[in-house]
Amino acid sequence: MVKFKAIGVSEGLAHAKALVIKEEDLTVVKDSITDVAAEQKRVTDAVANAKKQIEALRDEAEKNIGAAEAEIFDAHLLMLDDPDFIEGMTNLVEEEKVCAEYACFVNCENFQAMFRAMDDEYMQARAADIGDISKRVLKNLKGIADNAIDSITEPCIIIANDLTPSDTAKIGSKPVVGFITRIGGRTSHSAIMARSMGIPAIAGAGDKVDGIEDGSDLLLDGVAGEVVVNPDEETLAQFAEKKKAEDERKAMLAKFKDRQGATSDGRRIVVEGNIGTPDDAVRVAELGGEGVGLFRSEFLFMDRDDLPSEEEQFEAYKKACETMAGKPVIIRTLDIGGDKEVPALELEKEQNPFLGYRAIRICLNKTDLFLTQLRALLRAAKYGDLRIMFPMISSIEEIRNAKQILRQAKDLLAAEGVEHNPDVKVGIMVEIPVAAVCADMLAKEVDFFSIGTNDLIQYSCAVDRINEKISYLYRPLHPGVLRLIAMTAKAANENGIEVGVCGEMAGTPGMAPVLCGLGVTNLSMSASAMLAAKADLAAHSYAECKELADKLVAAPSATDAEQIFAAWRG
């Protein structure tokens, strides 16, 4: 039996066999060959297998998503049937006597260069399709399975270096009861999505997972960040008791499902859910969420080689609105950059990406991209209480420029006779310290604030929130951070607008009363944290929340504040 601890990023207990997902090695070496015919057959066999895989994906997409979305796979099949594409590889094998893997790599580079050189924007975008197809052929040549997650049929705990948002989304439809990653932390996107789906998870395990083999018996505690490999009978019995206690706690929290968020003396705090996909809204609704406080629209753009169309975005936003049945749905406009990449935009690598070309800065520069999203949002707003939120705002000029493009989107839809709702509420993320300091001025420009504590803490404390070496400096209870939150809330309250928190701080156990005491009116968090937040609020009066917040703000250091909070929590 082996025990180790890492970072608990999504609460819950899990017991299952391990599924170890190894990193794909797609490196290519220019090996020489002698049997040309045999190597050419490897190429044609790999292409044939790729076609079968894509046909299966197309059928699955058509069944689960729709015929229009499945058309991209038809385009991929046409490319695989193109004699020039196949002969590009087989000819290289014959002329240069190189292995099939190297021929596939060079052929991909050649075709992508050809498409990128074309004047037509649509044809330029096909370069990404070539890359996707070639990667599939290369994986077949190297004998790499398509995706281990796709083939999961039995309950398991996944072990991986990291999980992309699309990987984590796939987990939701599989019998995955937990996961452990080598890298990442509480604010990594796989962790955020795990909490959204209520899956126990641990991150930042590093080389501690090296000894875990496929099929090992695992116990996972997402709160303590503890993993037990091949537990003995005594440990299994202790875990069973802990699981029983957790189930009893969940039963107690269930009574808050249909209650509004409020303190014991009735001070109203709206408790909402964070989502990354329209399907996540179902869980928010099921667990009594009073709305969606943050729809991270960037997840529609990530882990794909093309950009989502206006129609695709419209359908996603509409679905979220319909699921929430009239409750507010706050959709954040595209927030990429930093640790979130969109391959289709081919953004340049930056030395300091978190302080660089990201979020609203990209949208105000790429107005066509922004207009497409705003049009989709305005159209979807006909189906519910949709609200638009701009991220990474640092000045009034950015708000006014964004609102001007929003007006342009309204005018275009009106001129085209397209149904939409022009009367949407507009808000901003307060996540840059200068925005908090100038909140009294910014509040006059918008209908609501939402404080993004993940970035606010990162920028205020000058700490990269995904750098494990300095994670100890990431202190949510730093008095300076709390003062920025209080300052923002005061400005919002004085201007008669709502002020929410949609960062991970909102869903941290015990933190709801603190934020209430600081003057916050709305809390948005992972769906799995909502019931506990309601229970925390209901256990205290507003006066108690205010007294606690005042003590924390007045603390001389983060350490002192953490000690005060720990003593208060008991």
Side-chain angles (χ1 to χ4, degrees):
M1 183 175 76
V2 176
K3 288 186 181 181
F4 66 82
K5 294 193 73 170
I7 306 168
V9 297
S10 183
E11 67 176 29
L13 301 171
H15 177 201
K17 299 296 183 183
L19 173 67
V20 181
I21 298 179
K22 296 181 171 59
E23 288 287 281
E24 297 173 347
D25 181 9
L26 295 180
T27 55
V28 171
V29 177
K30 188 180 180 181
D31 287 333
S32 298
I33 55 98
T34 54
D35 192 337
V36 171
E39 208 66 16
Q40 288 177 327
K41 186 176 186 302
R42 289 187 65 221
V43 169
T44 55
D45 286 349
V47 169
N49 286 336
K51 287 171 66 175
K52 290 178 183 176
Q53 293 161 353
I54 293 172
E55 284 168 354
L57 284 171
R58 179 197 58 196
D59 294 343
E60 184 178 358
E62 188 169 357
K63 180 176 66 175
N64 297 330
I65 306 172
E69 288 76 7
E71 287 178 359
I72 183 63
F73 296 113
D74 288 325
H76 285 195
L77 289 169
L78 285 173
M79 289 183 190
L80 280 174
D81 280 329
D82 184 349
D84 289 339
F85 180 76
I86 300 171
E87 289 172 7
M89 292 181 278
T90 55
N91 289 345
L92 270 168
V93 168
E94 183 176 4
E95 293 166 6
E96 299 189 22
K97 303 295 187 292
V98 291
C99 63
E101 290 85 350
Y102 183 75
C104 178
F105 170 76
V106 172
N107 189 60
C108 174
E109 293 285 303
N110 292 342
F111 267 78
Q112 284 190 317
M114 179 181 70
F115 276 99
R116 288 176 182 142
M118 294 180 180
D119 294 331
D120 184 86
E121 186 176 341
Y122 174 83
M123 297 306 292
Q124 290 174 352
R126 301 288 66 78
D129 292 333
I130 290 293
D132 187 55
I133 293 164
S134 298
K135 181 179 179 181
R136 184 172 293 279
V137 173
L138 183 57
K139 285 170 69 173
N140 286 333
L141 287 167
K142 294 174 76 69
I144 297 173
D146 193 23
N147 190 317
I149 295 174
D150 292 331
S151 59
I152 294 173
T153 57
E154 300 291 333
C156 65
I157 294 173
I158 288 177
I159 314 292
N161 186 60
D162 195 14
L163 294 168
T164 66
S166 61
D167 287 335
T168 319
K170 285 181 181 179
I171 286 173
S173 62
K174 299 292 183 181
V176 174
V177 299
F179 67 76
I180 305 165
T181 59
R182 291 174 178 272
I183 65 173
R186 186 167 177 80
T187 57
S188 63
H189 294 292
S190 55
I192 290 170
M193 291 189 73
R195 288 192 292 276
S196 176
M197 294 184 290
I199 297 175
I202 289 174
D207 57 10
K208 295 174 184 176
V209 300
D210 285 352
I212 300 177
E213 298 179 350
D214 253 341
S216 297
D217 195 25
L218 298 183
L219 302 179
L220 185 156
D221 184 336
V223 173
E226 186 173 271
V227 178
V228 182
V229 185
N230 297 323
D232 56 26
E233 291 299 320
E234 182 182 354
T235 304
L236 283 170
Q238 292 170 349
F239 189 83
E241 285 297 313
K242 190 189 293 187
K243 186 72 168 63
K244 181 181 176 183
E246 183 195 54
D247 292 341
E248 290 172 352
R249 175 177 172 272
K250 285 181 177 178
M252 181 276 293
L253 292 177
K255 67 184 181 182
F256 289 93
K257 175 182 175 294
D258 297 320
R259 295 190 194 179
Q260 292 184 331
T263 59
S264 60
D265 55 345
R267 184 175 178 94
R268 186 80 169 88
I269 304 293
V270 179
V271 177
E272 301 168 308
N274 294 343
I275 67 173
T277 70
D279 291 336
D280 294 342
V282 174
R283 184 167 169 78
V284 172
E286 288 175 346
L287 291 176
E290 300 180 75
V292 169
L294 171 64
F295 183 156
R296 303 181 186 89
S297 68
E298 57 270 16
F299 284 120
L300 298 174
F301 293 75
M302 297 167 65
D303 293 312
R304 55 188 293 170
D305 295 322
D306 60 345
L307 294 172
S309 66
E310 178 182 323
E311 197 64 27
E312 182 181 347
Q313 293 187 60
F314 161 68
E315 290 293 344
Y317 307 146
K318 174 188 172 188
K319 184 176 181 180
C321 288
E322 290 177 334
T323 300
M324 295 311 298
K327 293 177 181 177
V329 176
I330 297 175
I331 302 182
R332 180 174 67 190
T333 58
L334 185 57
D335 183 10
I336 55 169
D339 59 337
K340 292 175 284 188
E341 297 182 357
V342 172
L345 291 179
E346 296 184 342
L347 300 176
E348 292 182 8
K349 297 291 184 183
E350 297 178 290
Q351 286 188 328
N352 218 336
F354 281 103
L355 300 180
Y357 185 53
R358 59 176 297 200
I360 197 66
R361 301 166 184 179
I362 293 175
C363 290
L364 292 178
N365 179 254
K366 295 182 176 291
T367 53
D368 287 346
L369 176 75
F370 199 24
L371 265 174
T372 298
Q373 181 170 38
L374 293 175
R375 284 171 58 100
L377 288 167
L378 291 167
R379 289 172 58 197
K382 288 282 291 183
Y383 298 88
D385 184 7
L386 185 151
R387 305 175 186 186
I388 297 174
M389 180 163 65
F390 303 131
M392 281 290 292
I393 293 293
S394 62
S395 68
I396 281 179
E397 288 81 8
E398 286 175 330
I399 297 175
R400 291 175 178 170
N401 290 339
K403 286 164 69 176
Q404 174 56 36
I405 298 172
L406 179 61
R407 283 192 292 272
Q408 186 180 346
K410 294 177 186 179
D411 291 344
L412 286 169
L413 290 171
E416 296 166 13
V418 177
E419 281 197 352
H420 67 288
N421 180 6
D423 300 317
V424 295
K425 289 186 177 181
V426 175
I428 63 167
M429 294 278 288
V430 176
E431 48 196 336
I432 299 177
V434 292
V437 172
C438 297
D440 57 332
M441 302 301 297
L442 302 182
K444 303 180 192 313
E445 298 284 331
V446 296
D447 300 309
F448 64 89
F449 284 157
S450 188
I451 303 171
T453 49
N454 297 356
D455 272 337
L456 185 64
I457 297 166
Q458 172 174 246
Y459 294 137
S460 302
C461 298
V463 53
D464 180 351
R465 59 186 170 94
I466 59 174
N467 187 329
E468 296 163 24
K469 293 181 180 178
I470 53 173
S471 60
Y472 67 94
L473 294 172
Y474 187 84
R475 318 279 290 270
L477 287 173
H478 193 297
V481 172
L482 300 180
R483 291 179 189 188
L484 289 173
I485 294 172
M487 186 183 301
T488 303
K490 181 173 184 289
N493 294 331
E494 289 177 349
N495 284 275
I497 66 173
E498 291 182 346
V499 54
V501 169
C502 64
E504 289 307 307
M505 193 171 173
T508 301
M511 204 62 76
V514 175
L515 295 169
C516 169
L518 291 172
V520 171
T521 61
N522 297 55
L523 297 174
S524 189
M525 61 201 71
S526 300
S528 59
M530 294 188 303
L531 295 177
K534 287 183 181 181
D536 270 343
L537 289 166
H540 304 282
S541 68
Y542 173 63
E544 290 171 335
C545 296
K546 183 74 167 62
E547 181 184 5
L548 171 62
D550 289 345
K551 286 181 180 178
L552 295 173
V553 168
S557 71
T559 300
D560 290 302
E562 288 161 358
Q563 290 172 348
I564 292 169
F565 179 69
W568 183 80
R569 287 280 286 168

